[in-house]
Amino acid sequence: VQLVESGGGLVQPGGSLRLSCLASGFTFSSYTMHWVRQVPGKGLEWLAGISVQGSTTKYADSVKGRFTISRDNDKNTVYLQLTALKTEDSAMYYCAREAAAYSVVKIYNEYEVGRLLRGQGTQVTVSS
């Protein structure tokens, strides 16, 4: 199983980025996918999840209306569109996979999010 994130970088407050995550080593279209983030010294924060066909999405309140998760099963890729970025959005962003195939999309709390299988991450820095 491999998850490779890309698209991070330095952006000004109010700006946008699109993160991508290329998956390999498993049947991508059978797994609910997520994005999570982590600030140094703090725990993982679940951000968004998307069902296997992309018909269902869920978001954390902190990013609802600003971030959009999507997927392209033909390209084995999940995306996270970040808009209206704030300095507090600066973090390492990870895509993550459910442990089991065909799981329903759920919201993960700080105690559960560590169960997800994560990639190496891509850094997003929001600064003027």
Side-chain angles (χ1 to χ4, degrees):
V1 174
Q2 192 169 17
L3 301 168
V4 180
E5 300 91 340
S6 62
L10 175 63
V11 62
Q12 292 185 341
S16 300
L17 281 174
R18 188 174 84 154
L19 308 183
S20 300
C21 172
L22 178 62
S24 61
F26 64 99
T27 304
F28 178 74
S29 59
S30 297
Y31 286 83
T32 293
M33 298 296 295
H34 302 267
W35 284 93
V36 305
R37 68 185 179 189
Q38 188 169 29
V39 175
K42 295 189 176 181
L44 289 167
E45 179 186 11
W46 177 86
L47 300 176
I50 187 166
S51 60
V52 295
Q53 292 300 319
S55 56
T56 301
T57 57
K58 293 188 177 181
Y59 296 91
D61 288 343
S62 59
V63 304
K64 195 175 296 181
R66 299 190 299 123
F67 293 5
T68 303
I69 189 172
S70 61
R71 66 190 296 161
D72 185 335
N73 287 345
D74 291 335
K75 295 182 178 179
N76 283 5
T77 301
V78 60
Y79 304 96
L80 187 67
Q81 180 71 45
L82 290 64
T83 63
L85 282 162
K86 308 173 183 179
T87 55
E88 53 262 44
D89 292 317
S90 296
M92 186 69 78
Y93 283 70
Y94 303 90
C95 73
R97 197 201 80 174
E98 288 279 353
Y102 299 104
S103 299
V104 297
V105 184
K106 62 169 286 187
I107 294 172
Y108 279 83
N109 63 35
E110 60 189 297
Y111 307 107
E112 301 169 320
V113 65
R115 301 177 191 171
L116 297 173
L117 178 65
R118 301 189 307 276
Q120 293 301 306
T122 185
Q123 178 69 39
V124 172
T125 302
V126 184
S127 175
S128 56

